[in-house]
Amino acid sequence: MRIGAIEAGGTKFICGIGDESGRIEDQISFPTRHPDLTMPQVIDYFQDKGAEAIGIGSFGPIDIRLDSPTYGYVTTTPKPGWANYDLLGTLKQVFSVPFGWDTDVNAAVYGEVKWGAAQGLSNCLYITVGTGIGVGVYAEGRLVHGLVHPEGGHVLTRRHPEDDFSGVCPYHGDCLEGMAAGPAIEARWGKKGHELPAEHKAWEMEAFYIAQSITQAILLLSPHKIILGGGVMQQPQLYPLIREAVRQNLNGYVSSSTIQNHMDEYITAPGLGQQAGLCGALALGLTAMSNQISTI
Ligand code: ADP
Ligand code: ZN
């Protein structure tokens, strides 16, 4: 089986082709420019690949409501050319194969459930901390869509006692993304994350904010696992800091041996590493294909 996968990111697009075992055989990446420039590159890539289905995990916000006239659109992004853009429809005009379509973070959590660190689990979260913060939610054995789709990067935060930074989210100022995504780190400390030493105060503060959102998620959704990805999480010292802050926040309240004794496995890096998004898109394509077969 040959399945196409697209990780449509706000910074770069990754296209790949793989099989039903989750193996990516070939992939290509290019920067996200205006759709008139980027989409022809996507189409070119798949032209000779013989994909039997294609899955897309996209930056957003996007429309994933099946009954909506704008299903498949990128909706309100400030990225030039992409607001109200029919991303899925543009590809459907060229390729008559089943398509899977979801958010980039839902794709990532799906990939992790299928082939990564959360295999076999029915409840899992994937949090990416990069240029923005996104949360993919897999609950009771399916991806959560709801009214629009979860926007867990914009949850409100309690301020760190030593932090007077006002936050950079254009909508909320000091929401989680405004306080803890890569651009917030850079604006607060005047240096990019990778330029700050591992023992810098920034990381304790970063862990404080991420741990808050994880604590809320544990209390609200009771996931079996929480996976943290994205550029900022390439700082390995963040994991123990986050686990400890979550433990302190919960203060023994949630009676689970996983939380009490296996925090290292509970809050963890993606099993698929940097490939979580692309493998997840592949998994979406695979599911779209089997859904089609089951409805014939
Ligand atoms: P995107 O979110 O655009 O898809 P990334 O997940 O790579 O891309 O996130 C990019 C953000 O992560 C930038 O703000 C960058 O400064 C930050 N970042 C990248 N690498 C590191 C690193 N090693 N340590 C800390 N921050 C990093
Ligand atoms: Zn916000």
mmCIF file of all heavy atoms in Angstrom, residues 9-12 128-132 181-183 185-186 192-195 203 229-235 274, ligand 1:
data_model
loop_
_atom_site.group_PDB
_atom_site.id
_atom_site.type_symbol
_atom_site.label_atom_id
_atom_site.label_comp_id
_atom_site.label_asym_id
_atom_site.label_seq_id
_atom_site.Cartn_x
_atom_site.Cartn_y
_atom_site.Cartn_z
ATOM 1 N N GLY A 9 2.882 22.702 7.893
ATOM 2 C CA GLY A 9 3.223 23.562 9.028
ATOM 3 C C GLY A 9 3.221 25.030 8.633
ATOM 4 O O GLY A 9 3.335 25.360 7.449
ATOM 5 N N GLY A 10 3.127 25.885 9.605
ATOM 6 C CA GLY A 10 3.156 27.323 9.339
ATOM 7 C C GLY A 10 4.530 27.782 8.867
ATOM 8 O O GLY A 10 4.655 28.809 8.206
ATOM 9 N N THR A 11 5.575 27.030 9.209
ATOM 10 C CA THR A 11 6.936 27.392 8.815
ATOM 11 C C THR A 11 7.392 26.576 7.612
ATOM 12 O O THR A 11 7.995 27.098 6.690
ATOM 13 C CB THR A 11 7.928 27.137 9.983
ATOM 14 O OG1 THR A 11 7.385 27.727 11.158
ATOM 15 C CG2 THR A 11 9.284 27.716 9.691
ATOM 16 N N LYS A 12 7.105 25.256 7.665
ATOM 17 C CA LYS A 12 7.492 24.410 6.530
ATOM 18 C C LYS A 12 6.468 23.309 6.283
ATOM 19 O O LYS A 12 5.738 22.912 7.202
ATOM 20 C CB LYS A 12 8.883 23.811 6.737
ATOM 21 C CG LYS A 12 9.017 22.866 7.917
ATOM 22 C CD LYS A 12 10.431 22.300 7.940
ATOM 23 C CE LYS A 12 10.622 21.190 8.947
ATOM 24 N NZ LYS A 12 10.590 21.600 10.345
ATOM 25 N N THR A 128 2.768 20.321 21.435
ATOM 26 C CA THR A 128 3.958 20.803 20.748
ATOM 27 C C THR A 128 4.270 22.217 21.233
ATOM 28 O O THR A 128 3.387 23.064 21.327
ATOM 29 C CB THR A 128 3.802 20.759 19.216
ATOM 30 O OG1 THR A 128 5.006 21.242 18.630
ATOM 31 C CG2 THR A 128 2.663 21.605 18.711
ATOM 32 N N VAL A 129 5.529 22.420 21.581
ATOM 33 C CA VAL A 129 5.981 23.739 22.022
ATOM 34 C C VAL A 129 7.024 24.199 21.014
ATOM 35 O O VAL A 129 8.173 23.744 21.042
ATOM 36 C CB VAL A 129 6.582 23.685 23.448
ATOM 37 C CG1 VAL A 129 6.837 25.107 23.967
ATOM 38 C CG2 VAL A 129 5.667 22.921 24.410
ATOM 39 N N GLY A 130 6.592 25.031 20.096
ATOM 40 C CA GLY A 130 7.480 25.496 19.037
ATOM 41 C C GLY A 130 7.228 26.975 18.795
ATOM 42 O O GLY A 130 7.191 27.772 19.745
ATOM 43 N N THR A 131 7.011 27.344 17.528
ATOM 44 C CA THR A 131 6.680 28.729 17.205
ATOM 45 C C THR A 131 5.354 29.104 17.873
ATOM 46 O O THR A 131 5.136 30.233 18.294
ATOM 47 C CB THR A 131 6.579 28.909 15.674
ATOM 48 O OG1 THR A 131 7.792 28.431 15.108
ATOM 49 C CG2 THR A 131 6.347 30.342 15.292
ATOM 50 N N GLY A 132 4.469 28.134 17.935
ATOM 51 C CA GLY A 132 3.230 28.269 18.718
ATOM 52 C C GLY A 132 3.154 27.087 19.667
ATOM 53 O O GLY A 132 4.091 26.288 19.753
ATOM 54 N N ALA A 181 5.711 29.767 24.287
ATOM 55 C CA ALA A 181 6.181 29.291 22.975
ATOM 56 C C ALA A 181 7.559 29.911 22.682
ATOM 57 O O ALA A 181 7.984 30.843 23.382
ATOM 58 C CB ALA A 181 5.168 29.655 21.894
ATOM 59 N N GLY A 182 8.231 29.402 21.670
ATOM 60 C CA GLY A 182 9.574 29.885 21.333
ATOM 61 C C GLY A 182 9.683 31.413 21.251
ATOM 62 O O GLY A 182 10.574 32.003 21.865
ATOM 63 N N PRO A 183 8.785 32.084 20.526
ATOM 64 C CA PRO A 183 8.892 33.542 20.423
ATOM 65 C C PRO A 183 8.738 34.259 21.775
ATOM 66 O O PRO A 183 9.313 35.338 21.978
ATOM 67 C CB PRO A 183 7.716 33.917 19.487
ATOM 68 C CG PRO A 183 7.504 32.677 18.675
ATOM 69 C CD PRO A 183 7.783 31.533 19.596
ATOM 70 N N ILE A 185 9.846 33.037 24.658
ATOM 71 C CA ILE A 185 11.158 32.865 25.318
ATOM 72 C C ILE A 185 12.119 33.931 24.782
ATOM 73 O O ILE A 185 12.802 34.623 25.541
ATOM 74 C CB ILE A 185 11.717 31.444 25.055
ATOM 75 C CG1 ILE A 185 10.793 30.393 25.679
ATOM 76 C CG2 ILE A 185 13.143 31.310 25.592
ATOM 77 C CD1 ILE A 185 11.169 28.950 25.351
ATOM 78 N N GLU A 186 12.099 34.072 23.466
ATOM 79 C CA GLU A 186 13.020 35.031 22.838
ATOM 80 C C GLU A 186 12.707 36.466 23.271
ATOM 81 O O GLU A 186 13.610 37.249 23.597
ATOM 82 C CB GLU A 186 12.921 34.899 21.308
ATOM 83 C CG GLU A 186 13.990 35.680 20.600
ATOM 84 C CD GLU A 186 13.938 35.504 19.080
ATOM 85 O OE1 GLU A 186 13.215 34.612 18.585
ATOM 86 O OE2 GLU A 186 14.631 36.282 18.397
ATOM 87 N N LYS A 192 17.272 33.575 21.657
ATOM 88 C CA LYS A 192 16.486 32.397 21.256
ATOM 89 C C LYS A 192 16.737 31.258 22.240
ATOM 90 O O LYS A 192 17.799 31.198 22.869
ATOM 91 C CB LYS A 192 16.911 31.951 19.859
ATOM 92 C CG LYS A 192 16.392 32.858 18.757
ATOM 93 C CD LYS A 192 16.717 32.239 17.414
ATOM 94 C CE LYS A 192 16.366 33.136 16.248
ATOM 95 N NZ LYS A 192 14.949 33.420 16.107
ATOM 96 N N GLY A 193 15.770 30.368 22.330
ATOM 97 C CA GLY A 193 15.882 29.253 23.273
ATOM 98 C C GLY A 193 17.185 28.491 23.189
ATOM 99 O O GLY A 193 17.805 28.198 24.212
ATOM 100 N N HIS A 194 17.619 28.204 21.963
ATOM 101 C CA HIS A 194 18.825 27.370 21.845
ATOM 102 C C HIS A 194 20.093 28.114 22.263
ATOM 103 O O HIS A 194 21.145 27.503 22.433
ATOM 104 C CB HIS A 194 18.952 26.783 20.429
ATOM 105 C CG HIS A 194 19.345 27.792 19.397
ATOM 106 N ND1 HIS A 194 18.430 28.495 18.651
ATOM 107 C CD2 HIS A 194 20.562 28.222 19.007
ATOM 108 C CE1 HIS A 194 19.061 29.316 17.833
ATOM 109 N NE2 HIS A 194 20.354 29.171 18.035
ATOM 110 N N GLU A 195 19.977 29.443 22.458
ATOM 111 C CA GLU A 195 21.153 30.221 22.890
ATOM 112 C C GLU A 195 21.253 30.323 24.414
ATOM 113 O O GLU A 195 22.254 30.796 24.944
ATOM 114 C CB GLU A 195 21.073 31.646 22.307
ATOM 115 C CG GLU A 195 21.154 31.669 20.791
ATOM 116 C CD GLU A 195 20.719 33.010 20.197
ATOM 117 O OE1 GLU A 195 20.034 33.802 20.891
ATOM 118 O OE2 GLU A 195 21.048 33.248 19.031
ATOM 119 N N TRP A 203 14.341 28.125 31.935
ATOM 120 C CA TRP A 203 13.805 26.765 31.800
ATOM 121 C C TRP A 203 12.901 26.394 32.971
ATOM 122 O O TRP A 203 11.913 25.684 32.797
ATOM 123 C CB TRP A 203 14.944 25.758 31.579
ATOM 124 C CG TRP A 203 15.751 26.165 30.392
ATOM 125 C CD1 TRP A 203 17.071 26.506 30.360
ATOM 126 C CD2 TRP A 203 15.266 26.373 29.047
ATOM 127 N NE1 TRP A 203 17.441 26.894 29.095
ATOM 128 C CE2 TRP A 203 16.354 26.820 28.273
ATOM 129 C CE3 TRP A 203 14.025 26.230 28.423
ATOM 130 C CZ2 TRP A 203 16.247 27.120 26.915
ATOM 131 C CZ3 TRP A 203 13.911 26.523 27.072
ATOM 132 C CH2 TRP A 203 15.010 26.959 26.337
ATOM 133 N N GLY A 229 6.401 17.553 22.280
ATOM 134 C CA GLY A 229 7.294 17.697 21.134
ATOM 135 C C GLY A 229 7.473 19.166 20.774
ATOM 136 O O GLY A 229 7.074 20.058 21.523
ATOM 137 N N GLY A 230 8.080 19.410 19.622
ATOM 138 C CA GLY A 230 8.311 20.786 19.162
ATOM 139 C C GLY A 230 9.722 21.251 19.489
ATOM 140 O O GLY A 230 10.401 20.670 20.348
ATOM 141 N N GLY A 231 10.135 22.314 18.804
ATOM 142 C CA GLY A 231 11.519 22.796 18.904
ATOM 143 C C GLY A 231 11.979 23.090 20.319
ATOM 144 O O GLY A 231 13.105 22.728 20.700
ATOM 145 N N VAL A 232 11.145 23.735 21.113
ATOM 146 C CA VAL A 232 11.564 24.129 22.464
ATOM 147 C C VAL A 232 11.857 22.893 23.318
ATOM 148 O O VAL A 232 12.751 22.916 24.178
ATOM 149 C CB VAL A 232 10.486 25.028 23.122
ATOM 150 C CG1 VAL A 232 10.825 25.313 24.583
ATOM 151 C CG2 VAL A 232 10.326 26.335 22.343
ATOM 152 N N MET A 233 11.145 21.795 23.047
ATOM 153 C CA MET A 233 11.343 20.587 23.856
ATOM 154 C C MET A 233 12.643 19.851 23.491
ATOM 155 O O MET A 233 12.937 18.805 24.048
ATOM 156 C CB MET A 233 10.135 19.651 23.733
ATOM 157 C CG MET A 233 8.879 20.179 24.390
ATOM 158 S SD MET A 233 9.057 20.737 26.110
ATOM 159 C CE MET A 233 9.724 19.284 26.897
ATOM 160 N N GLN A 234 13.410 20.434 22.578
ATOM 161 C CA GLN A 234 14.743 19.879 22.345
ATOM 162 C C GLN A 234 15.685 20.191 23.494
ATOM 163 O O GLN A 234 16.845 19.772 23.488
ATOM 164 C CB GLN A 234 15.306 20.399 21.028
ATOM 165 C CG GLN A 234 14.642 19.735 19.833
ATOM 166 C CD GLN A 234 15.133 20.300 18.529
ATOM 167 O OE1 GLN A 234 16.314 20.507 18.345
ATOM 168 N NE2 GLN A 234 14.205 20.565 17.633
ATOM 169 N N GLN A 235 15.221 20.935 24.460
ATOM 170 C CA GLN A 235 15.990 21.182 25.696
ATOM 171 C C GLN A 235 15.671 20.036 26.660
ATOM 172 O O GLN A 235 14.630 20.053 27.328
ATOM 173 C CB GLN A 235 15.563 22.520 26.310
ATOM 174 C CG GLN A 235 15.859 23.724 25.455
ATOM 175 C CD GLN A 235 17.355 24.049 25.397
ATOM 176 O OE1 GLN A 235 18.075 23.827 26.361
ATOM 177 N NE2 GLN A 235 17.800 24.548 24.268
ATOM 178 N N GLN A 274 10.976 13.461 15.571
ATOM 179 C CA GLN A 274 10.537 14.553 14.683
ATOM 180 C C GLN A 274 9.540 14.065 13.631
ATOM 181 O O GLN A 274 8.952 14.866 12.919
ATOM 182 C CB GLN A 274 11.751 15.149 13.946
ATOM 183 C CG GLN A 274 12.898 15.582 14.833
ATOM 184 C CD GLN A 274 12.671 16.953 15.451
ATOM 185 O OE1 GLN A 274 11.691 17.626 15.136
ATOM 186 N NE2 GLN A 274 13.542 17.364 16.337
HETATM 187 P P1 ADP B 1 7.388 25.160 14.212
HETATM 188 O O1 ADP B 1 6.671 25.326 15.510
HETATM 189 O O2 ADP B 1 7.535 26.455 13.464
HETATM 190 O O3 ADP B 1 6.866 24.041 13.374
HETATM 191 P P2 ADP B 1 9.604 24.149 15.773
HETATM 192 O O4 ADP B 1 8.791 23.120 16.457
HETATM 193 O O5 ADP B 1 10.996 23.764 15.348
HETATM 194 O O6 ADP B 1 8.906 24.738 14.497
HETATM 195 O O7 ADP B 1 9.706 25.373 16.770
HETATM 196 C C1 ADP B 1 10.443 26.510 16.481
HETATM 197 C C2 ADP B 1 10.654 27.281 17.781
HETATM 198 O O8 ADP B 1 11.390 26.472 18.688
HETATM 199 C C3 ADP B 1 11.442 28.570 17.606
HETATM 200 O O9 ADP B 1 10.841 29.589 18.391
HETATM 201 C C4 ADP B 1 12.821 28.219 18.116
HETATM 202 O O10 ADP B 1 13.477 29.337 18.705
HETATM 203 C C5 ADP B 1 12.549 27.166 19.151
HETATM 204 N N1 ADP B 1 13.640 26.195 19.215
HETATM 205 C C6 ADP B 1 14.143 25.478 18.189
HETATM 206 N N2 ADP B 1 15.166 24.720 18.600
HETATM 207 C C7 ADP B 1 15.329 24.955 19.915
HETATM 208 C C8 ADP B 1 16.222 24.472 20.917
HETATM 209 N N3 ADP B 1 17.176 23.583 20.644
HETATM 210 N N4 ADP B 1 16.060 24.944 22.168
HETATM 211 C C9 ADP B 1 15.085 25.824 22.456
HETATM 212 N N5 ADP B 1 14.250 26.341 21.569
HETATM 213 C C10 ADP B 1 14.346 25.903 20.315
#
